[in-house]
Amino acid sequence: MLVDTFGRKIEYIRISVTKQCNFRCQYCMPDTPEDFLDSSMIPLDKTLEFLKIAINEGIKKIRITGGEPLLRDDLSDFISSLRAYSPSVELALTTNGFFLKKYAKILKDSGLDRLNVSLDTLKENRLKLISKRDALPNVLEGLQEAKKVGLPIKINMVPLKGVNDDEVLDMLEFCLENGFILRYIEFMENSHANSSLKGLNEREILALISQKYTLSPIEKQTIGPAKSFRLENGGVFGIIAPHNDDFCKSCNRIRLTSEGTICPCLYYQEAVSAREAILSGDITAMKEALKLSVHNKPEKNQWDNEQNQHSARAFYYTGG
């Protein structure tokens, strides 16, 4: 069992399998060169051995992220191996959805449990503005294919003032119509994002939805970052609000980067390198690095907008 110094049981690890992405989203990596390559990626068979140790130590949920994880052509074999090792571990994946039409059935057959798809707009030109890619038709087709093969889907939307804040309700209704669960994510300031961006906070998002719907909060049944709300028509949505004081109280997550660094918190610069241990297959050293990262997990993140303390580590590096 992995328990940090504040009594939180760590049961969830997010792993970035690559820093590479085919999008250049304004809130993540807008200025990253188009020819950027993740030359330090750890082979997935080596990552698998680390995750086996993590599962043995009490990890119950693994989320695969990037960058864009579907750029790894060996990803389905990796998922199959994880599923074979632990039939009970929850396996999820976060993607921008661009390649989803091609891979949805393969992911389902490999043993993936669920998907999160990042989608900030239903307008084609607007998605071009946000991601610098003509991607909306691909993403929508991918969503329908994933739905067809039976993968449960959550949609992640980052509402930005003057960019897509007029689609808060449109996105909610799109998800309700398609059986997806929408999660609004407050924009997380970081030094790699477009500095002119301003996000909507939880209060502002709820105010927009309340203009049309009556809603009520749902008491948390499980540990997780999202606050859930129910509409009078039975629809459900969530908000992830990392700027709130209570966001970190129940955090049960650590993160592994594609190059083998274990980050105890998205908004916390200190980290533990497990790279050499993973590459060499040193079981004792991998276990020590895992336990040290849990021990180092801070009580709360270091985000402070008033003091201009933002994440200096890129989200495509840590896995968002």
Side-chain angles (χ1 to χ4, degrees), residues 183-201:
R183 300 201 306 180
Y184 302 100
I185 302 178
E186 288 184 351
F187 168 58
M188 303 180 198
E189 291 79 1
N190 69 93
S191 58
H192 297 265
N194 183 329
S195 60
S196 68
L197 295 179
K198 301 293 181 184
L200 269 65
N201 60 33

Side-chain angles (χ1 to χ4, degrees), residues 17-20 38-43 72 258-259 275:
V17 295
T18 180
K19 296 194 288 286
Q20 288 178 229
D38 186 357
S39 59
S40 59
M41 289 187 298
I42 287 181
R72 293 290 300 251
S258 63
E259 62 186 33
R275 180 177 177 83

